[in-house]
Amino acid sequence: MLNIKDFILIWYNSSVYGGGYVMEAIEVSHLTFSYDGKNDILKDVSFSIPKGSYTTIIGHNGSGKSTMAKLIIGLLEAKKGKIQILGKELNEESVYELRSHVGIVFQNPDNQFIGSTVADDIAFGLENHCVEQEKMQGIIEDVASRVGMTDFLSAEPTKLSGGQKQRVAIAGILAIEPDIIIFDESTSMLDPQGKASINAQIRKLHEEKNITILSITHDMEEVAQSENVIVLENGEIALQGTPMEIFKQEDKLARMQLDIPFALKISKELKKRKIFKENVCRLDEVVGKLCRLK
């Protein structure tokens, strides 16, 4: 029988959040994983990612970042510990159901292309989700517009630039309307302009659609635009916090062969010269402050 405290809690969550208890998008508890059964790639890792948040995971090569992404979508099975997606434990029985809530964009988008045209490729996911034929075209045009690829719907995906390919991969994920999108090193093969374009697209997705974003990345400029940062080192969580909290620990990052964003380096120099009063870590913030000063 519910006591009054439990009743009030349920009523509050139902009123404010639209029903049910508030849950994390992803909860990882005491996760350990090994490819060979002997050497652990991930060692007793625990963290949670709130619904609607934007989290980045960083670390040097071999730290376990991409392994974590594969575990979360059920491509790998943990040695110990558990993963919960939207409050439900990931296991053999639930993996296919939970995958319908999670989309992933891989490092190389060529590995995700199925269709002969951009439109066909976006339609592939819709067909797998049994979307009615008459509704597909509207969805395809909508998601293509959101990622700036409307003019390329008849193009062959393999002939697009790296940045355009990633946009098509994102559009294909958006079409199936997942609650969570994982970006696994999705900008690592792009030039600076392509990286900036995809990072802006990721930020736009988060801000406009309130989709939970988990990005595995080496790009510190992207880390700067996220809300939460998890730093992995040798399969363990070395640091965790907001971008600025992480970047303040510059010596620890350097020891882990990680850098701070270029924008923060500029900001720190301008602060030394008393042009800025405080440090900022995003390039758009640096530019905005300079424009206001002028």
Side-chain angles (χ1 to χ4, degrees), residues 143-281:
V143 296
S145 173
R146 282 158 58 185
V147 299
M149 292 298 291
T150 301
D151 296 336
F152 298 89
L153 285 173
S154 299
E156 185 179 334
T158 55
K159 294 183 178 179
L160 300 174
S161 69
Q164 289 170 334
K165 287 177 180 179
Q166 287 293 27
R167 286 173 178 269
V168 173
I170 294 171
I173 296 299
L174 287 178
I176 60 175
E177 298 185 329
D179 299 289
I180 302 164
I181 299 181
I182 299 173
F183 293 89
D184 186 8
E185 301 279 13
S186 57
T187 63
S188 63
M189 298 177 67
L190 304 180
D191 58 23
Q193 185 177 2
K195 285 183 180 182
S197 175
I198 295 303
N199 286 343
Q201 187 63 50
I202 294 172
R203 187 168 67 246
K204 183 179 177 183
L205 282 176
H206 173 61
E207 292 172 351
E208 293 185 359
K209 295 296 180 180
N210 200 36
I211 296 172
T212 302
I213 302 290
L214 173 60
S215 183
I216 315 296
T217 185
H218 277 104
D219 185 359
M220 302 308 279
E221 307 302 327
E222 183 191 355
V223 174
Q225 74 179 19
S226 67
E227 296 169 338
N228 311 299
V229 187
I230 298 168
V231 185
L232 288 178
E233 183 183 26
N234 299 323
E236 299 178 294
I237 294 180
L239 299 169
Q240 193 168 359
T242 66
M244 193 57 83
E245 287 170 346
I246 299 300
F247 296 146
K248 283 179 180 178
Q249 304 187 61
E250 195 170 347
D251 291 342
K252 288 185 179 180
L253 291 174
R255 180 178 58 78
M256 291 184 277
Q257 302 174 22
L258 299 172
D259 202 358
I260 63 172
F262 177 66
L264 181 56
K265 293 179 181 179
I266 296 174
S267 172
K268 291 176 74 171
E269 187 60 34
L270 291 172
K271 187 180 177 184
K272 283 182 186 177
R273 301 185 184 197
K274 301 188 185 303
I275 297 172
F276 279 9
K277 294 181 179 178
E278 59 184 14
N279 293 325
V280 293
C281 58

Side-chain angles (χ1 to χ4, degrees), residues 12-24:
Y12 177 80
N13 284 330
S14 298
S15 300
V16 177
Y17 298 99
Y21 287 100
V22 182
M23 65 184 75
E24 305 285 5

Side-chain angles (χ1 to χ4, degrees), residues 44-61:
D44 196 35
V45 174
S46 297
F47 63 85
S48 62
I49 296 176
K51 287 186 70 176
S53 66
Y54 180 178
T55 300
T56 46
I57 297 181
I58 59 173
H60 57 74
N61 290 334

